[in-house]
């Protein structure tokens, strides 16, 4: 009975988080101007793009007679190039993402979910299909898909670190991975290598709490993972700072090298910084890979 009540309480708590998260993501997405999605060009599609003077090689059926009747020159009506892309997202839900160094900062997981939902809203508005990596939620269009994504990201994984999902990568699709990437590097290498093998390009957004960058600890300190599987106590935390920062720099460099090798883009975001600026960078970086 107690177990059933606990499960119900958790389910209700997770469901209650959806409306505020969706509202925040909608608001954040609204601060980024969609413009023309950066991909206006001539080609197959339904939307009018421009008139241009007829050229040698244009067939007679391409001539727009109504526009040409206004003068002595013949004009061709061009349509906008529109090919919807599939964009697959992985947002880290591991226990390490529940960390925030103080109550005035969002957790890494909260910021990751917000960015993941906001970029999905922008992509859907731009005509793209969005979904999850793996097989649980294939890319689709529409607002209903945004709600499905929010529901999928409403829970947490109990393990300290979650691994990027690399199954069922759609050939030549695009992808977004958002995580603190503090887990095993081999899992990230496997996911991006498999993606590259299938022609999948994308963006890796590295989310960190500011304390994870500065290591502001001194004296007696107990370090414990959010999932409580790792614990280390020291009397001289300051003595660990140099080694920690060196390891963090090595991890960042390894991620950047991996992105260069697989033709992905790397971005770093701190939870104390503007979510709007992070979304704008993410949108532009991904839009460049959609061309």
């Amino acid at each position: 009975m107690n177990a059933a009540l606990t499960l119900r309480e958790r389910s209700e708590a997770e469901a209650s988080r959806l409306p505020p998260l969706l509202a925040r993501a909608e608001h954040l997405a609204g601060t980024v101007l969609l413009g023309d999605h950066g991909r206006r060009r001539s080609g197959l599609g339904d939307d009018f793009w421009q008139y241009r003077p007829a050229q040698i090689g244009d067939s007679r059926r391409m001539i727009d007679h109504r526009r040409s009747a206004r003068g002595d020159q013949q004009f061709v009506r061009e349509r906008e190039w529109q090919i919807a892309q599939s964009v697959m997202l992985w947002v880290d839900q591991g226990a390490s993402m529940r960390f925030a160094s103080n109550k005035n900062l969002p957790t890494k997981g909260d910021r990751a979910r917000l960015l993941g939902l906001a970029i999905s809203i922008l992509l859907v508005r731009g005509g793209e299909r969005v979904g999850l990596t793996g097989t649980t939620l294939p890319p689709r269009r529409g607002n209903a898909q945004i709600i499905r994504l929010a529901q999928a990201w409403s829970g947490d994984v109990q393990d300290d670190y979650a691994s990027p999902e690399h199954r069922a990568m759609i050939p030549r699709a695009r992808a977004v991975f958002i995580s603190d990437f503090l887990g095993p590097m081999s899992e990230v290498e496997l996911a991006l290598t498999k993606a590259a093998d299938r022609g999948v390009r994308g963006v890796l957004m590295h989310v960190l709490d500011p304390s994870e960058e500065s290591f502001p600890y001194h004296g007696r300190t107990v370090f414990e993972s959010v999932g409580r599987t790792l614990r280390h106590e020291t009397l001289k935390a300051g003595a660990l700072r140099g080694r920690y920062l060196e390891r963090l720099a090595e991890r960042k460099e390894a991620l950047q090298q991996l992105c260069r090798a697989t033709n992905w883009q790397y971005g770093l975001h701190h939870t104390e910084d503007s979510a709007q600026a992070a979304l704008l960078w993410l949108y532009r970086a991904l839009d460049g890979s959609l061309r």
Side-chain angles (χ1 to χ4, degrees), residues 8-286:
R8 179 180 175 182
E9 289 170 354
R10 286 182 57 193
S11 299
E12 290 176 348
E14 290 174 1
S16 69
R17 289 161 52 183
L18 286 182
L21 177 61
L22 282 171
R24 287 164 52 216
E26 286 277 3
H27 176 74
L28 180 59
T31 65
V32 176
L33 296 177
L34 268 175
D36 290 324
H37 202 58
R39 298 194 294 123
R40 293 185 67 87
R41 67 187 74 173
S42 174
L44 298 176
D46 297 324
D47 295 338
F48 168 74
W49 182 38
Q50 68 176 4
Y51 291 112
R52 66 165 173 79
Q55 302 171 352
I56 297 174
D58 291 336
S59 66
R60 293 187 61 82
R61 62 186 178 84
M62 295 175 64
I63 304 298
D64 188 286
H65 297 288
R66 180 175 295 181
R67 174 65 181 85
S68 301
R70 299 178 189 173
D72 298 329
Q73 190 172 12
Q74 292 185 320
F75 286 87
V76 168
R77 180 186 178 95
E78 290 189 328
R79 292 176 295 177
E80 183 180 356
W81 179 77
Q82 290 181 327
I83 301 177
Q85 292 275 1
S86 291
V87 182
M88 300 170 292
L89 297 99
W90 175 70
V91 172
D92 190 343
Q93 294 169 260
S96 70
M97 297 295 287
R98 299 199 293 270
F99 174 72
S101 56
N102 69 69
K103 63 181 181 180
N104 297 318
L105 291 175
T107 65
K108 293 180 290 183
D110 181 75
R111 181 56 57 84
R113 290 182 177 101
L114 179 62
L115 292 175
L117 268 184
I119 192 64
S120 298
I121 291 169
L122 289 177
L123 290 167
V124 164
R125 289 177 182 173
E128 315 293 5
R129 296 183 292 262
V130 297
L132 297 177
T133 55
T135 59
T136 58
L137 188 60
R140 296 188 182 95
R141 294 191 183 97
N143 291 330
Q145 185 74 343
I146 299 299
I147 296 174
R148 295 186 193 105
L149 287 171
Q151 291 171 335
W153 290 330
S154 65
D156 293 310
V157 175
Q158 296 307 310
D159 295 337
D160 278 321
Y161 306 109
S163 300
E165 176 62 79
H166 52 73
R167 294 174 297 167
M169 283 283 187
I170 301 173
R172 294 176 296 281
R174 298 296 177 260
V176 176
F177 286 2
I178 307 178
S179 171
D180 58 11
F181 296 104
L182 296 178
M185 188 66 191
S186 58
E187 295 295 332
V188 185
E189 292 173 350
L190 177 62
L192 263 67
T193 300
K194 280 199 168 187
D197 289 343
R198 308 207 72 179
V200 177
R201 291 186 295 160
V203 181
L204 188 154
M205 175 67 85
H206 194 184
V207 178
L208 292 175
D209 184 274
S211 70
E212 292 174 326
E213 284 277 18
S214 60
F215 198 83
Y217 306 108
H218 302 279
R220 182 179 182 276
T221 307
V222 177
F223 297 99
E224 187 174 40
S225 65
V226 179
R228 298 181 181 274
T229 60
L230 300 172
R231 189 177 189 276
H232 176 72
E233 182 176 353
T234 179
L235 297 176
K236 298 180 179 180
L240 301 176
R241 186 172 186 273
R243 192 171 11 154
Y244 167 82
L245 293 179
E246 183 179 342
R247 292 285 298 275
L248 180 62
E250 290 173 354
R251 175 56 59 98
K252 289 180 185 176
E253 179 59 28
L255 290 169
Q256 292 176 58
Q257 287 184 359
L258 180 60
C259 286
R260 287 192 291 267
T262 55
N263 205 20
W264 279 46
Q265 295 197 59
Y266 170 87
L268 176 63
H269 173 66
H270 300 131
T271 55
E272 66 179 347
D273 295 334
S274 163
Q276 180 182 358
L279 177 61
L280 184 58
W281 180 89
L282 180 59
Y283 178 71
R284 287 174 174 171
L286 186 58

